[in-house]
Amino acid sequence: MMRSFLKCCCCILTLLFLVQVDAQSQSVSLRTDEGQGGGVFTSKRPGKQIPVVDMILQDVPRDSALYAIAKLVGYGLVYSKQYVKLTGVVSARFNKTPLPEAVSTVLKGTDIISNISVTSKSILLAPRDTTKSAPVQAPKSPARVKGKVIDSITREGIEGATIEVATTGKQVITDADGQFYVGPIEAGNHLLVARRIGYSSKALKLDLSEDETDTITFVLGATSTVLTSVVTTGAGDRQKYQIGNSIATIDAKEVVESESIKNISDLLANRAPGLQVFKGSGSVGSPSRLRVRGISSINASNGPIIMMDGVRISGDYTQCKRPDYSGCTASPSRLDDIDPDIIESIEVLKGPAASTLFGSDAANGVIVIKTKRGAAGPTRWNLGFDQGITSQVRDYPFPMQRLGYAMSGGKPSTCGLLDEARGSCVPIDSTIGSNLLGNPLTTSLAKGRETSVNVDVSGGVSVLQYFISVGYVDQLGTSKLPDINNRLIRDAVGISKLPGWMVRPNKQKNTSGSARLTGQFNNNSDFSLGANFLKLSNSNGPDGMSGILMDVRGPSDSIRIVPGWETFYVQRSQDVTRALTSATVNWRPLTWLTGNAVYGWDFSSRDSRELNRRNSCLPLCDPSGQDAQGYVYSGKYSISVQSLNLGSTLNRPLKNGFGIRTAVGAQYVRTYANDLLAAASDLADGGTSVAQANGLTSSEEAGGELITVGLYLDQSISLNDRLFLGAAIRRDVSSALGSEVAPLYPKWSISWVASQEPFFPWKDLVSLRLRAAYGHAGVQPDADTKLRLLSRFSDFIDENGDPLGNYLSISSIGNSNLRPERSVEREAGFELGILNDRFLLDFTVFRKFTRDAIVNRPLAPSIDFGGNQAQNIGDVLNTGAEASLSMRLLELEPVTWNLNLGYGTRKNKLITLGPNVSPFSAGSGFEGDASRVVPGYPLFSRWARPIIGFDDVNGDGVIVPDEVRVSDSLQYIGPSTSKYDLSFLNTFGFMQDRIRITANFQYVNGLTQLNRFLSQNWQYLPIMQVPGGSLEEQAYLVASIKQGNPSDYGFYEKVDFFRFNSLGVGYTIPGEYTKRLRMSSATVSLLATNLGIWTNYNGRDPDVNTASAGGNEYFNGSAFPQPRTWTLRFNLAF
Amino acid sequence: MERNIMKRFSMPILVSGILLAASACSISDLVNTSPAPGTPDPDAAKTAAGAMDQYRGAITEFRAATSGYSTPAMYIVASALISDEMTSGEYPKEGNVSFSAASAFDSRNLLENERNGTIARGISDPWKGLQRTRITAMNSIAALRKYAPNAPKDYIGHAYALWGMAEVMLANLYCSGIPLTTIQFEGEYDYQPGSASADVYKHASDMFDSALVYAVDSLQFRYLAQVGKGWAQLNLNNYQAASAAVAGVPTSFVYYNRHSAVIPLSIGTPNFTTVLSINGGAVKLGFGTVSDNEGINGLPYRSSNDPRTASSLIPEWQDPEYPATEIWSPDRWTQNSPGNAPIALASGVEARLIEAEAQLKQGGAAWVSTLNDLRNSGFVTAPGSTDTTWNPGTGAALFEGNLPGLPSLTAPASMAEQVDMLFAERAYWLFLTGRRHSDMRRLIRQYGRTTNQVFPRGSYPTGPIRVYGMAVNASAPYAEVQHNPKYTGCINRDA
């Protein structure tokens, strides 16, 4: 397959090369023509007329006069204010005066000369002394200039800068690395001007020698961060100001250094408006789910795709199979495998308007990760060491139980209000209860800890740089076997110490290594090789609280095992080995033409195991039970993602301020997964594997291969480097859809840097860019969804009742007409920077309409094969707005304060579900009401049958289920995801930034949660045990057990919360001390997370969402809340 | 010069490049993938062996749909519950406020658009199974024709016969309005509107005719098609056509469903007798107990002591709290080899009974002679082993073990009594083969009886209503109404 693709790509590249050769030949011919002209003030090209000027000037400032003349004849006026001082006033009368003469008249008496190019319609001004010998020199042999334009701060090349030879009008544009080449031009004195929007311009005077090539470097200082940043698109890196869509950029390096970041999910959370990070649990190694601009897909994936260093990698969390832990609450996310210490930056392409060129997988956005790379210079060592503690800080209800006597027999019994009302007991004035989680002997909560070490080294020379990083993370979760259980089990078994996996079941160790080598083959080509290796060992037991709150016991109760302990003797482990490699080659055959090839391979292998050893529960369990016999679930899963991207970009200026950029490319992505699952029971003594079990309970082998091939063309036109119009198209074919389905994804965009226009009044104070974009992108179905699948079984029974041969059964009906989901997005916005971007507002509104959403439509029983069929029948609308406001509020010598506010709001609505498709449930709850798919409402919204009344018919002060009236029909409660959220990221610097404090907060509004914690434990609340409580509250609780018509309406809560997410205090040790230790810098930091939450939610953590229905059911299950961490960190650099 | 050279060659090079690229870029090659290990194979039926596998799939689906086990029942048990053959066996507990699916069938409380999940599943499971049989048979015929042209044509005949049997059973158990939805082999599906019961019987009869065209060498398959056609014609009120259809079918013929005692079918439906023998709880909820005079009108299957409907009391399945509730297990399918007992789906006995009914309709005494010939024969012997196509093995009798000869019957005077006698003989001979319920419907439809004269009625011991309902057939599954855009539900609920 790969060979076919390479063959095809070779042909495409051949074709591309031919086109380039063709283009080159035309270019050469043009150059030849121009060379024949060679004039300074006029062009002798046939057909080019020198304009004339009719104008009267009376005491007009000289610069205004020139602007007026240029405007009159439609020419551009080009000069450097640094070298060309247009002072004084002029008076003149022009009557059909040739333009050169008119300009000379205006410049009379100055040291400035003009160079008028009819070809480029420009008037170039330069100091006289730089060109004094040029016009009269005899023809010379040509000279050449090459060089680089770099950023004064980052020292990195600036792409897209214009280099203009002011004395000739010749222009070139720098390539992706900031390099340029000018030539051939006449030898002699020249003025070269480098300009790039967002930077101050710079000019250099050069005396060029014949037959020689000068090498120069322009160092430009940024004037606007808005206008200087570079972002990734599907067709390569672009200047951010050139594209019409919003892209959020996260400076990962800075965030990781100043905050407690354990994984990429931490890095992304609350830093990109429009991106939501749903944490699955507070357990170590729990997965997160990313959702960009809401939810669009009903049965297909809602997750963004992940690109790292230009290659596609696997980002999905694993499927919800037994070895991955039931409910997926603890399965490590594949995205979080990546060590955040190696990441330079992350960009979030939020929707189809931005991600069109990523094609059929990108409708839910793209997360673009760029890893660190070395820089030329001496070897630099960085050493980081973290030591932290974690704890659970949420309070838990105090469960209680009223006591009494049973009605029959008079034995002592529990006697809650419901028991009494039903007449099954007579209460006594006594209650018992305790919060087992608050008792050191019975609690299953413990202090966790985290240790991490990271070492990286980087350096190199100009042609070869390297970056190598090694990291190790050891995390221990906050669950433990209660001490009382520990003691009783040891006593019963007769051993002095229980195994560690039983006592502290939740832990994870990551070991990772990364290396990147970058360098140049020659001036025209460079390469980058990357390799990342990861070894992860995860152990994940129970969440430590199952059933504990239901265990009410009094002080006089005998010591006994805390409920839920039985889950502790089951060992769950998962080992992941992952390797990511990438290779990139960039080639610049011409200054305006680049080509690149990127190959990547991401392979991960996971070995999951759930093991209950034989007799490990004895003597505390039934010796004849299945638990005592032991069982093992074993899963082997591997996934490989291979990708190859080939692209070429043509970028060159045209006449009259126009420029074009054309990018073409091809992309090949192959994903192959293999999943083997076996379950076996009746383990031998000491047995730990399927092979050591007597009975193979089940085995399953699954997997799939998905290949996608895409071709794209991206064309943009610019005017004066201020207005950019772009149009692009991508065509895909994939194995999931068949070669006959080749979706086409178009896009267009416009970007206008209004503040750079001559008429903009406050250009020194304000930067303003307006932008709009429109684009399509898709989401593919799974590899086999389209196919009619037949399962073969080997147990056909013959006429004697014996197995004889195979038979086939249709297991899935397939849909040969299946297409990808198609999302169409429009977005518009602006970036407004004030006072050199001291206040920077980025605002975007979007409308994303997803049509042909893939719905697993239930089949009528008359064709029931597989239960349902994937069809393109849903339409979903997402609308919203995003804003970020960055403010450098204080920039004083002793203190600085930067505040970044993020805001994202979203509205989701299922427009239609197709004809004859009934609303359906996507998860659990009564009638699946916890998460339903209903046209006219948000996807996966909350529904319940409302309680329409209650009466204490017998006046006993207790509401029993029969006294509650529940509606027969479901009622919409609210969306399962938030309506809007706010983030507040503060950075304070003291003592010249030697002390740096970060404080991050988050506010979330409009979330509707199903309080599972309450639904599981309400019977033990005081209101159900002590007379005199609110009848209404009782009604809402007991409705959940109403016979025949239960309702969990009372467990839904509309939730807002404000969380103090993180605090970091860092101190950089003064240089005089670090130098003595031969360190270039040293920082010690105290970092904390989850310092407080203020919420109306009565459950555990409103921001923890488990998911089991394809990742699209959001509720607060039985998982741990997010813990609080305190971390001490040392960063040393040598 | 340079320009001229490039100009001269650039266009041919460009065109050559395009052609080269186009020839090399076979998109289908690029995106061609093969299923991963363990993934169901979309091309599995596209070989001669695969076509045979699909044919066996049709047989398996038929077994699952008729004598397979589900909660509560597939065709035979569902049919037995709604008729007078079996009762659900549920205890008359106080506070039992909802029907189980078995009790809903048994008490004839089968409402249209039933949304109670348990009952809805009970209604839809036999429907699904029989529809799957139709469609798999349909596809296996196409697969055999296309990919196994050298295989014996009798297999195609067999598949047609199963197709026809499934349609007869659908029309028997459910209300009028059966959608005969199709799925083309290697093609699309096409939902169909509901067809009237008579149309379904006619279509089934056509399928049996097709079976007879192909099943030339295999007597086993020919006889199955003949009996099936006779059954369909009987339901169409065409007694002479029914009799003609079964002519020549030897009395010893039996077509069995085979199951394994130890290997449940991979599609999840073991023989219901497996469940019956190993799990008393499942019996009570899913299968039931052999009835005796159920609901006033029911036949005395137990108290008659007829050996054809013999049953055994299983004391260990009785609930100690409700000792009065007895669970009677039918000996017919469980006496000798629970779990792998072959379940008869068609027989020569039925052929004789069809002939007897035609004779009754013609008048005279031949019908009772036919019945007595059967009764006097004692037990039915197995077919010979001459049929190599189907690998019949040793075969087995309709009743395993020895069935003593039964005393001759004397024809009663009135036609009504004669009809009662004939239908009782059918009920006893064909006990638990899925015939009784359709016979009860025929008594109403073709012999002028009323529902109250035929079906169990009166009080019912358990459930929320505690009386028998009015249903004489199962309603269409609500899911069919919901998801089949051409289907609007039952045309009528009449017999």
Side-chain angles (χ1 to χ4, degrees), chain A residues 821-1093:
Chain A
E821 290 187 3
R822 179 178 291 269
S823 291
V824 182
E825 188 179 54
R826 296 175 177 84
E827 69 165 58
F830 64 86
E831 285 132 40
L832 175 65
I834 300 173
L835 298 176
N836 244 2
D837 294 345
R838 183 163 180 171
F839 298 92
L840 179 59
L841 174 64
D842 185 329
F843 180 81
T844 305
V845 292
F846 68 91
R847 182 184 189 276
K848 179 179 168 186
F849 183 77
T850 301
R851 65 172 190 259
D852 292 343
I854 295 172
V855 177
N856 289 336
R857 181 178 184 173
L859 291 169
S862 60
I863 48 167
D864 182 68
F865 291 94
N868 54 52
Q869 182 190 42
Q871 296 184 2
N872 298 101
I873 51 176
D875 290 345
V876 179
L877 178 64
N878 279 285
T879 55
E882 295 147 5
S884 65
L885 177 60
S886 302
M887 296 177 284
R888 302 200 300 270
L889 293 176
L890 284 178
E891 290 187 320
L892 304 175
E893 184 77 12
V895 60
T896 60
W897 177 21
N898 294 345
L899 173 60
N900 291 300
L901 300 177
Y903 170 74
T905 180
R906 62 201 69 82
K907 195 171 180 182
N908 174 275
K909 188 177 182 181
L910 172 64
I911 304 298
T912 178
L913 203 48
N916 303 306
V917 182
S918 302
F920 59 89
S921 302
S924 53
F926 299 126
E927 294 191 5
D929 50 4
S931 196
R932 284 179 66 78
V933 176
V934 184
Y937 295 91
L939 280 178
F940 310 113
S941 49
R942 320 282 197 192
W943 293 70
R945 282 192 293 269
I947 293 157
I948 54 178
F950 61 91
D951 290 307
D952 185 8
V953 178
N954 57 7
D956 62 356
V958 179
I959 298 296
V960 297
D962 288 345
E963 293 173 330
V964 183
R965 296 188 299 279
V966 174
S967 171
D968 288 332
S969 53
L970 293 170
Q971 175 182 300
Y972 172 67
I973 306 286
S976 57
T977 56
S978 60
K979 289 180 179 173
Y980 71 88
D981 44 54
L982 285 162
S983 62
F984 310 84
L985 312 180
N986 294 273
T987 306
F988 299 92
F990 299 96
M991 301 168 63
Q992 288 90 39
D993 234 16
R994 184 165 293 157
I995 296 176
R996 192 177 171 87
I997 298 175
T998 59
N1000 297 341
F1001 304 89
Q1002 174 194 20
Y1003 174 71
V1004 172
N1005 176 280
L1007 181 68
T1008 310
Q1009 273 286 16
L1010 173 59
N1011 187 343
R1012 287 282 168 88
F1013 192 74
L1014 180 64
S1015 71
Q1016 292 165 358
N1017 299 291
W1018 62 269
Q1019 298 94 325
Y1020 304 98
L1021 297 178
I1023 194 171
M1024 300 309 301
Q1025 300 293 332
V1026 180
S1030 161
L1031 296 183
E1032 184 178 4
E1033 283 185 45
Q1034 288 183 33
Y1036 277 82
L1037 297 174
V1038 302
S1040 63
I1041 55 170
K1042 186 175 174 61
Q1043 184 72 38
N1045 192 20
S1047 171
D1048 50 8
Y1049 187 79
F1051 302 138
Y1052 284 97
E1053 298 182 27
K1054 298 205 171 180
V1055 178
D1056 304 335
F1057 69 87
F1058 183 83
R1059 190 192 294 272
F1060 189 172
N1061 266 336
S1062 69
L1063 174 70
V1065 180
Y1067 175 68
T1068 302
I1069 297 170
E1072 58 263 36
Y1073 299 112
T1074 54
K1075 281 178 183 171
R1076 291 178 196 167
L1077 299 170
R1078 295 190 170 183
M1079 289 188 287
S1080 57
S1081 71
T1083 305
V1084 58
S1085 308
L1086 181 65
L1087 310 171
T1089 64
N1090 195 25
L1091 288 174
I1093 182 167

Side-chain angles (χ1 to χ4, degrees), chain A residues 1110-1134:
Chain A
N1112 288 328
E1113 186 189 13
Y1114 301 89
F1115 61 82
N1116 182 222
S1118 59
F1120 266 131
Q1122 294 180 53
R1124 177 175 298 166
T1125 67
W1126 288 96
T1127 304
L1128 187 62
R1129 169 181 295 172
F1130 298 92
N1131 279 320
L1132 309 176
F1134 301 90

Side-chain angles (χ1 to χ4, degrees), chain A residues 394 396 543 545 1013 1097-1102 1116-1121:
Chain A
R394 291 286 283 164
Y396 295 92
D543 65 14
M545 289 183 284
F1013 192 74
Y1097 184 52
N1098 294 305
R1100 297 185 195 180
D1101 189 334
N1116 182 222
S1118 59
F1120 266 131

Side-chain angles (χ1 to χ4, degrees), chain B residues 153-390:
Chain B
K153 301 297 181 199
D154 301 84
Y155 296 147
I156 295 177
H158 188 196
Y160 269 119
L162 297 179
W163 183 349
M165 290 296 274
E167 291 187 354
V168 170
M169 291 172 178
L170 278 166
N172 284 343
L173 184 60
Y174 291 93
C175 62
S176 180
I178 309 289
L180 300 180
T181 295
T182 59
I183 301 181
Q184 299 303 319
F185 180 63
E186 299 174 337
E188 299 301 317
Y189 66 84
D190 188 9
Y191 280 125
Q192 295 297 321
S195 297
S197 297
D199 293 332
V200 176
Y201 287 126
K202 286 174 190 168
H203 189 264
S205 189
D206 293 342
M207 296 302 101
F208 291 122
D209 284 340
S210 299
L212 292 169
V213 170
Y214 288 97
V216 176
D217 298 325
S218 168
L219 295 178
Q220 186 81 355
F221 299 160
R222 284 194 69 81
Y223 296 155
L224 173 65
Q226 284 182 266
V227 173
K229 183 178 179 184
W231 194 14
Q233 290 296 325
L234 214 54
N235 276 286
L236 286 167
N237 215 7
N238 298 330
Y239 303 98
Q240 304 314 315
S243 178
V246 299
V249 176
T251 306
S252 59
F253 160 71
V254 187
Y255 179 88
Y256 284 115
N257 273 356
R258 297 284 174 172
H259 296 265
S260 168
V262 293
I263 305 173
L265 295 183
S266 297
I267 53 178
T269 48
N271 184 344
F272 66 83
T273 62
T274 304
V275 178
L276 183 66
S277 61
I278 64 174
N279 187 338
V283 171
K284 283 169 275 187
L285 292 174
F287 186 85
T289 178
V290 174
S291 303
D292 199 49
N293 297 317
E294 181 188 356
I296 303 171
N297 293 320
L299 292 172
Y301 293 108
R302 296 204 312 265
S303 58
S304 64
N305 293 319
D306 192 303
R308 293 169 293 183
T309 59
S311 56
S312 304
L313 180 64
I314 313 294
E316 60 269 31
W317 292 347
Q318 286 180 284
D319 189 328
E321 290 188 31
Y322 298 91
T325 305
E326 298 174 337
I327 299 296
W328 292 85
S329 169
D331 292 349
R332 168 165 277 191
W333 308 133
T334 62
Q335 187 176 29
N336 294 323
S337 49
N340 63 351
I343 312 294
L345 264 294
S347 66
V349 172
E350 185 178 7
R352 301 292 84 77
L353 291 167
I354 290 171
E355 289 169 348
E357 190 166 346
Q359 290 163 347
L360 176 65
K361 277 288 184 180
Q362 277 189 322
W367 67 276
V368 76
S369 300
T370 302
L371 294 182
N372 284 332
D373 288 345
L374 283 177
R375 291 173 66 89
N376 296 335
S377 64
F379 61 90
V380 182
T381 56
S385 300
T386 55
D387 189 346
T388 55
T389 311
W390 172 235

